[in-house]
Amino acid sequence: MKPSHLHSSILPLLFFLTLAHGLSPKCNTPDKGSTLQVLHVFSPCSPFRPPTPLSWEESVLQMQSDDKTRLLYLSTLVAGKSVVPIASGRQIIQSPTYIVRATVGTPPQTMLMAVDTSNDAAWVPCTGCVGCSSAVFNPAKSTSFKPLGCQDAQCKQVIDIVYCPHILNLPHTVIASLAQDTLKLATDPVPSYTFGCVQKTTGNSMPPQGLLGLGRGPLSLLSQTQSLYQSTFSYCLPSFKSLNFSGSLKLGTKGQPLRIKYTPLLKNPRRSSLYYVNLLAIKVGRRIVNIPASAFAFNPATGAGTIIDSGTVFTRLVQPAYIVVRDEFRRRMGRATVSSLGGFDTCYTVPVTIPTITFMFAGMNVTLPQDNFLIHSTAGSTTCLAMAAAPDNVNSGLNVIANLQQQNHRVLFDVPNSRLGVARELCT
């Protein structure tokens, strides 16, 4: 299997965390039915928390830097520069922010896997992996493990040119063999699930215990479990500030919310795995700001438009859209002194008076309270608008609705009916 150019780094979000001493969340709560517990990578239950907390300023700057890497990855997808879903020599992936518990093999071996709506891959670090974490899957201990060769149909679904053997020495790479084994999600076993059994990773290329792609490509979770889950799932991402940090990932049509508003999912034939939506306008408070229609226009040829993404932290808007939103935000704040912090150019040391920001999609409006568009320092002395313009080196015309803006909402991906639903929900 051809190696992938991957780059990832865990997002330091510790400045949000205000855990009370002596209180511990329920880290071993069993998953039930087809619902999985979703954890932030820095929840007290996660083994991936860094040992040394960063300062608030360092955390914000690191998050912004990592988001830029993520946006570069997304721009290569929408522009069609990376021609295969999970095995391009030019692909860059940033580690997503949320993880779920799954098991692989017979008998089952527990893995914590990052979930990502803009990836199709399933990556599992295997025994003997160079550069992986200490928690790896041991194929020799699984009676249901089956290696796949370059002649197998699944291999041809993920690579344009097959390399056998695959020995290339590139920075930020993942070298993996295609394999199949039983994947168990909550109480649902999925026999013969195809994934990349990682043999080598360099340059912090992937999440420590692997990745579970929730995109729409041929080897994504949706495609491989179509008869079980009917290509339908929803998640509720927990707030960074909550003590428990536990949200949920619901797979399949059962248990999904009935009272929910929908917007159509759009499809880019060049990148059919991404979840495009039709964003029409934005309200700051009660005022619809004057954003040119071209800023949100969907163009499959260029990849321009708006996507929902679970792996980016802060929403990014193309320059013409962001400038208008920012200027109205500043106007509403009156004469308060505005400052900047890294890529955030609208920060204040006085209380922010704008109560809501509303994303207006075709068929539904999503009104965000302050927790979904502001970030605060631990001491509460500085508050920033948690959105930014797309970096200058990302020219795809892509707007990204990121995970901070999705927190404490149930986001439902109904692929058979080509629609995306959003409803307010306290996730934790």
Side-chain angles (χ1 to χ4, degrees):
M1 187 172 178
K2 187 177 176 182
S4 292
H5 244 304
L6 303 177
H7 174 79
S8 67
S9 53
I10 297 296
L11 304 176
L13 295 159
L14 292 178
F15 71 92
F16 286 104
L17 312 186
T18 54
L19 293 177
H21 291 292
L23 295 177
S24 60
K26 297 177 181 178
C27 297
N28 295 315
T29 302
D31 296 326
K32 299 178 181 179
S34 298
T35 299
L36 290 80
Q37 188 180 36
V38 174
L39 302 172
H40 190 272
V41 289
F42 288 133
S43 89
C45 298
S46 169
F48 308 136
R49 291 181 298 159
T52 305
L54 300 177
S55 71
W56 182 68
E57 290 79 6
E58 290 171 334
S59 299
V60 172
L61 294 173
Q62 184 63 54
M63 282 188 288
Q64 292 171 348
S65 174
D66 292 339
D67 262 6
K68 286 184 179 180
T69 302
R70 174 74 176 184
L71 289 163
L72 282 172
Y73 160 63
L74 293 173
S75 71
T76 64
L77 291 185
V78 300
K81 296 175 184 176
S82 177
V83 296
V84 291
I86 68 170
S88 168
R90 292 161 292 191
Q91 207 168 39
I92 304 170
I93 294 177
Q94 178 206 16
S95 175
T97 319
Y98 292 95
I99 55 178
V100 295
R101 188 182 296 108
T103 68
V104 182
T106 308
Q109 301 174 42
T110 300
M111 309 293 291
L112 290 175
M113 303 180 73
V115 291
D116 188 354
T117 56
S118 296
N119 272 287
D120 298 324
W123 297 102
V124 177
C126 291
T127 300
C129 175
V130 177
C132 293
S133 70
S134 58
V136 295
F137 169 66
N138 188 344
K141 292 185 177 180
S142 174
T143 59
S144 50
F145 179 81
K146 176 188 175 184
L148 296 177
C150 294
Q151 74 282 355
D152 287 293
Q154 291 89 343
C155 195
K156 295 170 184 172
Q157 287 180 309
V158 297
I159 57 176
D160 49 348
I161 301 174
V162 176
Y163 285 79
C164 292
H166 29 266
I167 302 173
L168 290 178
N169 186 21
L170 298 171
H172 303 298
T173 61
V174 165
I175 297 177
S177 297
L178 208 60
Q180 289 182 335
D181 209 330
T182 297
L183 174 71
K184 190 175 183 181
L185 302 168
T187 60
D188 299 330
V190 184
S192 302
Y193 195 90
T194 302
F195 61 93
C197 191
V198 180
Q199 301 167 344
K200 182 179 181 180
T201 176
T202 61
N204 294 323
S205 305
M206 61 174 288
Q209 283 201 16
L211 183 141
L212 189 65
L214 297 176
R216 291 183 281 184
L219 288 185
S220 69
L221 177 68
L222 269 65
S223 296
Q224 294 197 60
T225 61
Q226 196 163 10
S227 61
L228 180 61
Y229 299 132
Q230 294 79 50
S231 298
T232 302
F233 71 94
S234 72
Y235 55 63
C236 197
L237 302 179
S239 168
F240 303 143
K241 295 186 291 184
S242 84
L243 174 65
N244 197 334
F245 302 97
S246 174
S248 63
L249 171 65
K250 294 184 178 181
L251 301 170
T253 57
K254 293 181 180 179
Q256 301 295 358
L258 299 177
R259 300 184 65 181
I260 190 168
K261 294 181 179 179
Y262 289 97
T263 188
L265 281 173
L266 309 177
K267 208 163 195 180
N268 179 352
R270 301 176 68 183
R271 273 299 167 198
S272 59
S273 61
L274 297 178
Y275 293 103
Y276 279 88
V277 289
N278 189 5
L279 179 62
L280 301 175
I282 296 176
K283 282 200 296 187
V284 178
R286 296 182 179 179
R287 186 172 188 173
I288 300 177
V289 295
N290 187 23
I291 297 172
S294 59
F296 295 147
F298 176 57
N299 186 336
T302 63
T306 302
I307 66 168
I308 301 287
D309 180 51
S310 66
T312 308
V313 178
F314 303 117
T315 286
R316 299 294 181 123
L317 302 173
V318 296
Q319 288 275 357
Y322 175 72
I323 290 171
V324 175
V325 170
R326 178 202 66 188
D327 289 353
E328 175 60 18
F329 193 96
R330 291 180 176 181
R331 188 192 71 80
R332 290 283 302 269
M333 287 296 295
R335 296 183 179 181
T337 301
V338 63
S339 60
S340 63
L341 179 63
F344 294 137
D345 60 7
T346 303
C347 301
Y348 297 93
T349 56
V350 298
V352 171
T353 56
I354 293 92
T356 59
I357 287 180
T358 301
F359 291 132
M360 306 177 73
F361 299 96
M364 75 174 184
N365 293 343
V366 177
T367 298
L368 303 176
Q370 288 190 349
D371 280 351
N372 288 108
F373 63 85
L374 298 178
I375 57 170
H376 308 274
S377 64
T378 306
S381 58
T382 302
T383 301
C384 295
L385 174 63
M387 300 180 191
D392 293 335
N393 56 349
V394 176
N395 299 314
S396 64
L398 187 67
N399 302 281
V400 181
I401 308 299
N403 65 46
L404 178 65
Q405 282 65 47
Q406 298 176 55
Q407 289 172 12
N408 285 321
H409 289 82
R410 175 65 55 183
V411 183
L412 173 58
F413 296 78
D414 183 357
V415 174
N417 294 305
S418 296
R419 60 184 186 172
L420 179 132
V422 180
R424 187 74 180 167
E425 178 181 324
L426 186 62
C427 301
T428 302

